[in-house]
Amino acid sequence: MNRLSMRGIEKSFGAVRVLDGVDFSVRPGEVHALLGMNGAGKSTLMNILAGAIPPDAGTITIDGVNCTFSSPLDAKRAGIGFVVQEVDTALFPGLPVYENLAADELADVKKQPIRSLRREKERAAALLRRVGLAISPAKLVRDCSLHEKQLIVLAKVLSSNARYIILDEPTAALSEAETKRLFAIITELKQQGVGFIYISHKLKEVQEIADRLTILRDGRVVYHGSARGLPLEDIVLHMTGTRRAAAMKQTRAHGSDIAFAARGILIDKTGTTVDLYAHRGEIVGIAGLVGAGKTELAESLIAHRNTSGEWEIDGRRYVFSSPYEAIDAGLCLIPEERRKQGLFLPESVKTNITVRLLSRLSRWQWISRRKETDAADELVRSLGIHPPSPSTAVRHLSGGNQQKVVIGKWLNTNARVFLFDEPTKGIDVHAKQEVFSIIRALADEGKTVLYFSSEFHELLEVCDTIYIMADGRLLTRLPAAELTYEQLVYYCSGGEIDEPASRFHSAVEKSGAVHS
């Protein structure tokens, strides 16, 4: 029978067994979801399939023929494609789309020593049509949106005649409309006989798109079967080993005084201005669809982007012209792209988590290694970072543990206002709850938290108050306890809001938190 099959796959790193006899298969024309918590073995299994690392034991067969991959090129030649989560790492931003799509052929000059730009552009246009992308092949990749880049990588994979395609968190940064378009493309390619391995932490999307699913826990298969009809709670039970009680929204008490306020903050990209405020110890959500301007607002609040306006923190007025000034005043940003903007990936956990504390850990410009180690050990222990070794390179941590490091570097600083931009992107359900616990603990200590997210269920679970954002504007400010998921979707999609948008503006003016 035609299929890709992995049998008895085992892999250990040192004394740690990551995969313990895993069986997995995918048929032509189906979507097979691969689920599991961070550290369950998903990435290792897929890296083995993609030829990046060898298995210790087990076999891979395609259509009944045994395959041995000694490199990613071997896997590609066998018909396996990999659309990675960080699509920018798979593209050349300074080159046009058609040259990116022809990059593999261009690298093999012996195979095709003479280039025809006309044929390359025609071939690129045909590949772009196949993935439903209506852009010019001559467009530079750096000028493309994230969704466009993702489809370019998919087209590049199809250009190598891939029959089985691994999709790693394909909708992590896509809007709802973009996700629907991607699913339509997947459905069309399924009809052409392409098989997909779909990895995602968005379980409702998995239920929608997947035909079968396999769940890993601690390197073993704990569930395999049809994706249809399996309740979400049962999926979580298989992933975690424990049945999670339904989330109960607890009403939190927070201060009545306004600890942070901003007026006339210019979002350079959208050309809009924003006013907002937050009380001491309050968790304030900024709810918006992908593309609403949430990241741009977060970066403007910390003066990372060209901006103007005025800020007030604990009654003191500021005008920031650089992130240095904003950080010095007590703001900090946990960015959406933690690997790009929040971490020094080749460096250790210790280096990353103490980087904001160097002035306290040094004397006469010499760092005290003992103080640095003690500070790192304390933060690693308090945050529950795994593995609990500060000497581990941060690039080897799971997404959830990397996020803890990004947060942890701000904990012993003078930060009073924490800006969290999509803080649960690409992390599993258990790690999400740990991040929520950290955020609640910060608020309980009297810190002010702004939580920027398009994950509306999360906003309702963790926030006290929610702003609705669309097209670069904050439309209204409402108590989270009075909102439902459906209302958030409706409002953020442009639905008419019952409360006038001026309500929160007048609240700021009456409070005197920001003066003209």
Side-chain angles (χ1 to χ4, degrees):
M1 181 179 179
N2 292 340
R3 69 168 62 192
L4 183 155
S5 180
M6 305 178 77
R7 297 296 179 199
I9 302 297
E10 297 182 5
K11 185 66 182 179
S12 297
F13 294 103
V16 179
R17 174 160 287 193
V18 181
L19 296 173
D20 189 2
V22 171
D23 294 342
F24 183 82
S25 67
V26 58
R27 307 182 189 107
E30 77 163 347
V31 175
H32 191 154
L34 180 62
L35 305 180
M37 307 275 285
N38 284 336
K42 304 186 304 297
S43 296
T44 301
L45 186 66
M46 290 301 98
N47 281 328
I48 289 172
L49 180 59
I53 58 176
D56 296 335
T59 60
I60 300 174
T61 61
I62 298 179
D63 300 341
V65 178
N66 284 337
C67 300
T68 301
F69 304 142
S70 58
S71 70
L73 182 59
D74 289 342
K76 184 182 295 184
R77 286 171 175 166
I80 297 169
F82 201 157
V83 180
V84 296
Q85 181 179 354
E86 308 266 350
V87 291
D88 285 310
T89 64
L91 297 169
F92 300 98
L95 296 181
V97 171
Y98 73 88
E99 288 194 343
N100 272 272
L101 294 178
D104 292 342
E105 289 77 10
L106 294 176
D108 191 353
V109 293
K110 293 182 180 179
K111 183 178 179 182
Q112 191 175 0
I114 300 175
R115 296 178 60 192
S116 169
L117 295 183
R118 179 179 61 81
R119 278 198 292 269
E120 283 181 12
K121 291 179 181 178
E122 289 175 350
R123 177 173 175 268
L127 286 167
L128 293 175
R129 285 195 297 271
R130 192 177 178 193
V131 298
L133 189 53
I135 62 172
S136 168
K139 185 176 182 178
L140 292 179
V141 164
R142 66 175 170 229
D143 296 329
C144 296
S145 68
L146 182 60
H147 178 56
E148 289 172 341
K149 291 176 186 176
Q150 189 173 58
L151 293 181
I152 292 167
V153 174
L154 180 58
K156 185 177 179 181
V157 166
L158 291 171
S159 73
S160 62
N161 297 315
R163 298 164 54 203
Y164 300 99
I165 298 176
I166 304 164
L167 299 176
D168 186 8
E169 296 287 353
T171 64
L174 300 187
S175 68
E176 187 173 348
E178 289 168 341
T179 297
K180 288 182 179 178
R181 287 201 295 271
L182 176 63
F183 284 4
I185 292 165
I186 291 172
T187 300
E188 184 176 339
L189 291 173
K190 282 175 57 180
Q191 294 169 355
Q192 299 173 23
V194 178
F196 290 91
I197 301 169
Y198 192 94
I199 303 171
S200 179
H201 292 301
K202 296 184 176 181
L203 302 182
K204 289 190 175 181
E205 289 183 1
V206 168
Q207 290 177 312
E208 178 181 349
I209 193 65
D211 301 299
R212 288 191 295 154
L213 59 86
T214 293
I215 302 174
L216 299 182
R217 187 171 73 243
D218 298 329
R220 296 184 179 91
V221 175
V222 294
Y223 178 86
H224 170 76
S226 172
R228 303 288 186 259
L230 185 65
L232 193 63
E233 285 297 320
D234 287 350
I235 295 177
V236 174
L237 171 62
H238 288 303
M239 290 174 63
T240 63
T242 58
R243 186 174 294 278
R244 180 171 172 263
M248 297 294 291
K249 176 64 179 177
Q250 297 179 350
T251 303
R252 292 182 60 259
H254 57 74
S256 59
D257 55 322
I258 293 179
F260 175 70
R263 166 171 285 177
I265 303 301
L266 172 66
I267 304 177
D268 183 54
K269 184 177 179 179
T270 60
T272 55
T273 57
V274 167
D275 296 352
L276 60 85
Y277 70 94
H279 299 95
R280 191 177 315 282
E282 186 178 21
I283 303 173
V284 176
I286 311 294
L289 302 175
V290 174
K294 301 185 302 298
T295 292
E296 291 78 8
L297 172 57
E299 293 180 346
S300 295
L301 286 173
I302 204 163
H304 177 65
R305 291 178 175 268
N306 294 328
T307 189
S308 59
E310 53 185 42
W311 292 253
E312 187 163 321
I313 303 173
D314 291 336
R316 181 176 176 182
R317 292 178 61 199
Y318 297 89
V319 175
F320 300 135
S321 59
S322 70
Y324 174 83
E325 294 176 356
I327 291 169
D328 189 55
L331 273 74
C332 71
L333 172 63
I334 291 81
E336 177 181 9
E337 299 294 339
R338 57 179 170 271
R339 292 173 63 87
K340 285 184 180 180
Q341 299 172 293
L343 296 166
F344 302 109
L345 285 175
E347 301 297 332
S348 67
V349 171
K350 177 170 69 175
T351 297
N352 276 273
I353 208 165
T354 62
V355 67
R356 302 300 313 175
L357 306 175
L358 292 183
S359 61
R360 301 184 192 179
L361 306 177
S362 60
R363 186 178 184 184
W364 307 112
Q365 298 185 347
W366 290 92
I367 299 172
S368 168
R369 297 302 178 190
R370 181 183 59 79
K371 290 182 179 179
E372 183 186 28
T373 299
D374 290 346
D377 285 341
E378 180 186 349
L379 287 167
V380 166
R381 185 170 54 253
S382 65
L383 290 168
I385 294 171
H386 296 286
S389 172
S391 61
T392 301
V394 77
R395 66 184 173 195
H396 295 317
L397 301 184
S398 67
N401 285 296
Q402 287 180 351
Q403 189 70 307
K404 291 180 190 177
V405 173
V406 178
I407 299 170
K409 70 182 179 183
W410 296 105
L411 295 187
N412 291 333
T413 68
N414 72 327
R416 292 172 284 172
V417 181
F418 286 73
L419 313 179
F420 287 85
D421 187 11
E422 299 287 0
T424 65
K425 178 182 174 181
I427 66 177
D428 63 46
V429 291
H430 178 67
K432 287 180 182 181
Q433 292 304 317
E434 292 182 313
V435 169
F436 293 164
S437 294
I438 294 170
I439 289 172
R440 293 187 184 102
L442 287 170
D444 290 342
E445 292 171 9
K447 311 292 186 181
T448 299
V449 175
L450 270 63
Y451 191 108
F452 300 77
S453 183
S454 56
E455 298 290 344
F456 298 152
H457 285 300
E458 295 178 7
L459 290 166
L460 293 171
E461 180 176 347
V462 76
C463 295
D464 306 308
T465 305
I466 296 177
Y467 281 99
I468 306 298
M469 188 170 195
D471 300 323
R473 293 178 171 82
L474 295 183
L475 305 180
T476 193
R477 184 184 202 274
L478 298 167
E482 297 179 7
L483 287 166
T484 66
Y485 175 82
E486 291 74 18
Q487 283 177 308
L488 281 181
V489 173
Y490 176 72
Y491 293 156
C492 291
S493 300
E496 184 177 352
I497 298 173
D498 298 333
E499 292 287 336
S502 60
R503 187 180 77 164
F504 69 88
H505 295 153
S506 62
V508 175
E509 293 168 357
K510 290 178 181 177
S511 70
V514 178
H515 307 283
S516 302

